[in-house]
């Protein structure tokens, strides 16, 4: 706590603080974060899922925030780190952390969700990290607007995509993780390069010292450990753009493949809800049961959440929490009076402002992306 306060004081009271004073402390804070309560889907590289019953607040604490890394976490020497911006720009530039911290800062509360969240729920099963329901979280991200940085480099009208690359490297012969961000989304004022997460220096696992935060879109656009932005008239031709993070153009039979030419890139997250309390398979007592969780809808606002305790025969509107931000989830709560003891299936269904609702069955696709079926927990209500 003391160190946190100290860092905050140094970072804010001395905006022009020299790199020599600021950076060793940043490096130190970038390392330390205990993720002991998360479920390791893979220990190295780190793919860590949040047990959803621990998601109790609108803002997810850093030590509970899920981690998705394709490759080993790179080691970063903050004094040597730079961000290069080149390609279709008038003046290629290279910025230090100090340069970036001196630009006007902005803070956005954004929900980040992995495209593969819920993959383990698809039937037939699909290969990939077997995320259940907890590859999602919400944080306050502080940094600079990507558009401000692009303007400094004089991004040209011919640029249609930004190729975002981080300091991590493919393992063995695996290709580098590079993502391609359409220029319109990059220029929106809500798209930021973040160096703080919930008021702390961005933790190592989450992309220290700088990551993209592309709000409302599936998590893989939010490239961590960012070192290079290349503006281009063309889409990137690497496998994380041309093969991964794509979805069938038309619905396909479950268990079949689809050629890449019949797929489109995933972008905005679909409408979705998550019951966090009671926990799945929990036993509860008492005359009332508080059913609560979160709902989000990518670039749309959540309009309502309904809860059913009778297998979807009847639905009751949940109350939405007051905390809100353009690209952040809403908390919901419904107080239920069970008619008697027994085993119950509790369902939640969110609807966005366009009227899109969650489907009963998740739409099967070969990589198991964008699971957004009506959420469910089984609970045992005691006498
Ligand atoms: N450089 C880099 N950035 C990355 C990734 C990665 O493997 N390497 N994973 C992406 C994916 S798939 C997701 S879902 C988010 C996860 O961010 P988090 O680990 O901070 O939760 O980071 C994205 N950014
Ligand atoms: Mo992801």
């Amino acid at each position: 706590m003391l160190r946190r306060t100290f860092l905050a004081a140094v970072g804010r009271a001395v905006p022009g603080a020299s790199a020599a004073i600021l950076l060793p402390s940043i490096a130190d804070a970038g390392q330390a974060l205990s993720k002991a309560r998360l479920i390791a889907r893979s220990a190295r590289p780190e793919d860590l899922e949040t047990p959803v019953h621990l998601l109790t607040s609108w803002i997810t604490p850093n030590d509970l925030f899920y981690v998705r890394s394709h490759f080993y976490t790179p080691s970063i020497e903050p004094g040597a780190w730079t961000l290069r911006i080149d390609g279709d720009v008038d003046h290629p530039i290279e910025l230090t952390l100090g340069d970036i911290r001196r630009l006007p800062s902005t803070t956005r509360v954004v929900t980040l969700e992995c495209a593969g969240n819920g993959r383990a729920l698809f039937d037939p099963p699909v290969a990939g990290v077997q995320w259940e329901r907890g590859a999602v979280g919400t944080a306050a991200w502080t940094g600079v607007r990507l558009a401000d940085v692009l303007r400094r480099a004089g991004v040209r009208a011919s640029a249609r995509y930004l190729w975002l690359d981080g300091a991590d490297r493919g393992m063995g012969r695996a290709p580098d993780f590079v993502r391609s961000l359409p220029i319109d989304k990059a220029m929106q004022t809500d798209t930021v390069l973040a160096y703080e997460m919930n008021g702390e220096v961005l933790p190592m696992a989450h992309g220290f010292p700088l990551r993209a935060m592309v709000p409302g879109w599936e998590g893989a656009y939010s490239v961590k450990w960012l070192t290079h932005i290349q503006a281009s008239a063309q889409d990137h031709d690497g496998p994380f753009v041309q093969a991964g993070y794509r979805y069938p153009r038309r619905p396909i039979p479950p268990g079949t493949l689809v050629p890449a030419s019949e797929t489109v890139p995933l972008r905005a997250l679909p409408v979705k809800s998550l019951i966090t309390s009671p926990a799945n398979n929990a036993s509860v007592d008492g005359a009332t049961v508080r059913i609560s969780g979160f709902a989000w809808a990518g670039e749309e606002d959540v309009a309502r959440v309904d809860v059913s305790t009778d297998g979807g025969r009847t639905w009751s509107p949940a109350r939405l929490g007051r905390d809100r931000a353009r690209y952040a989830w809403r908390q919901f709560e419904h107080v239920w009076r069970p008619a008697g003891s027994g085993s119950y299936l509790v369902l939640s269904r969110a609807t966005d402002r366009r009227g899109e609702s969650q489907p009963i069955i998740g739409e099967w696709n070969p990589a198991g992306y964008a699971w957004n079926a009506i959420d469910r927990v089984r609970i045992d209500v005691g006498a």
Side-chain angles (χ1 to χ4, degrees):
M1 200 50 169
L2 264 180
R3 185 176 61 187
R4 209 180 288 172
T5 314
F6 168 72
L7 277 173
V10 171
R12 299 217 175 82
V14 195
S18 82
I21 297 171
L22 199 53
L23 296 178
S25 311
I26 289 176
D28 190 37
Q31 313 298 329
L33 198 58
S34 168
K35 296 277 188 179
R37 287 185 290 170
L38 303 198
I39 304 157
R41 299 285 173 214
S42 162
R44 280 193 81 219
E46 278 189 312
D47 293 315
L48 311 176
E49 175 167 349
T50 310
V52 298
H53 69 275
L54 298 180
L55 294 169
T56 55
S57 51
W58 186 58
I59 298 282
T60 311
N62 290 355
D63 64 348
L64 281 180
F65 208 99
Y66 85 95
V67 178
R68 168 55 171 143
S69 298
H70 289 76
F71 307 123
Y72 295 156
T73 303
S75 50
I76 305 264
E77 216 280 273
W81 177 93
T82 59
L83 172 65
R84 194 152 49 87
I85 296 140
D86 58 17
D88 257 4
V89 298
D90 286 335
H91 357 273
I93 51 175
E94 195 156 341
L95 302 171
T96 66
L97 211 42
D99 295 335
I100 288 168
R101 283 184 165 258
R102 275 187 288 274
L103 294 173
S105 79
T106 178
T107 298
R108 299 284 135 119
V109 177
V110 172
T111 295
L112 188 68
E113 184 187 22
C114 183
N117 191 27
R119 179 177 290 125
L121 307 175
F122 280 103
D123 179 24
V126 292
V129 180
Q130 294 299 298
W131 302 113
E132 292 179 5
R133 298 151 69 228
V136 59
T138 297
W141 309 93
T142 300
V144 296
R145 289 181 188 86
L146 176 52
D148 286 351
V149 172
L150 293 175
R151 267 183 224 110
R152 292 187 110 213
V155 67
R156 294 188 180 143
S158 52
R160 290 177 55 222
Y161 299 93
L162 298 183
W163 301 350
L164 307 182
D165 191 7
D168 52 344
R169 287 276 156 261
M171 292 154 69
R173 284 163 173 241
D176 197 11
F177 185 81
V178 179
R179 294 281 294 149
S180 184
L181 178 65
I183 194 76
D184 293 349
K185 183 67 177 174
M187 295 301 283
Q188 283 176 11
T189 58
D190 295 308
T191 300
V192 302
L193 304 180
Y195 47 71
E196 279 180 21
M197 179 178 184
N198 292 332
E200 295 182 20
V201 169
L202 190 63
M204 204 63 225
H206 296 291
F208 173 85
L210 192 74
R211 76 175 304 168
M213 186 47 56
V214 179
W217 286 22
E218 61 85 13
Y221 286 97
S222 293
V223 173
K224 305 192 280 190
W225 313 293
L226 195 63
T227 51
H228 185 196
I229 299 176
Q230 185 171 338
S232 174
Q234 263 81 50
D235 208 357
H236 190 264
D237 65 3
F240 294 100
V241 177
Q242 297 304 329
Y245 303 105
R246 301 180 75 90
Y247 198 84
R249 199 187 286 282
R250 285 176 281 271
I252 59 164
T256 61
L257 292 174
V258 58
S261 59
E262 281 301 301
T263 63
V264 291
L266 284 171
R267 289 188 173 161
L269 293 166
V271 61
K272 184 163 175 180
S273 63
L274 172 67
I275 301 167
T276 55
S277 180
N280 192 28
N281 297 319
S283 299
V284 296
D285 284 312
T288 61
V289 178
R290 185 180 167 270
I291 297 161
S292 62
F294 300 91
W296 61 100
E299 295 185 303
E300 288 295 324
D301 287 341
V302 171
R304 58 184 295 141
V305 176
D306 296 279
V307 171
S308 175
T309 54
D310 59 5
R313 280 184 285 263
T314 61
W315 293 87
S316 305
R319 201 171 52 79
L320 296 182
R322 271 191 304 173
D323 291 322
R324 60 194 301 177
R326 170 93 204 263
Y327 297 99
W329 61 17
R330 296 287 294 274
Q331 262 180 308
F332 70 84
E333 177 185 73
H334 173 64
V335 178
W336 172 47
R337 297 178 174 279
S341 61
S343 173
Y344 291 86
L345 191 61
V346 177
L347 308 177
S348 68
R349 181 185 66 195
T351 304
D352 72 18
R353 270 244 293 264
R354 288 175 310 181
E356 285 290 320
S357 283
Q358 293 182 257
I360 296 172
I361 311 284
E363 174 92 20
W364 194 94
N365 62 99
Y369 292 133
W371 170 270
N372 77 328
I374 287 171
D375 202 38
R376 51 167 73 186
V377 294
R378 167 121 345 236
I379 63 172
D380 193 64
V381 177

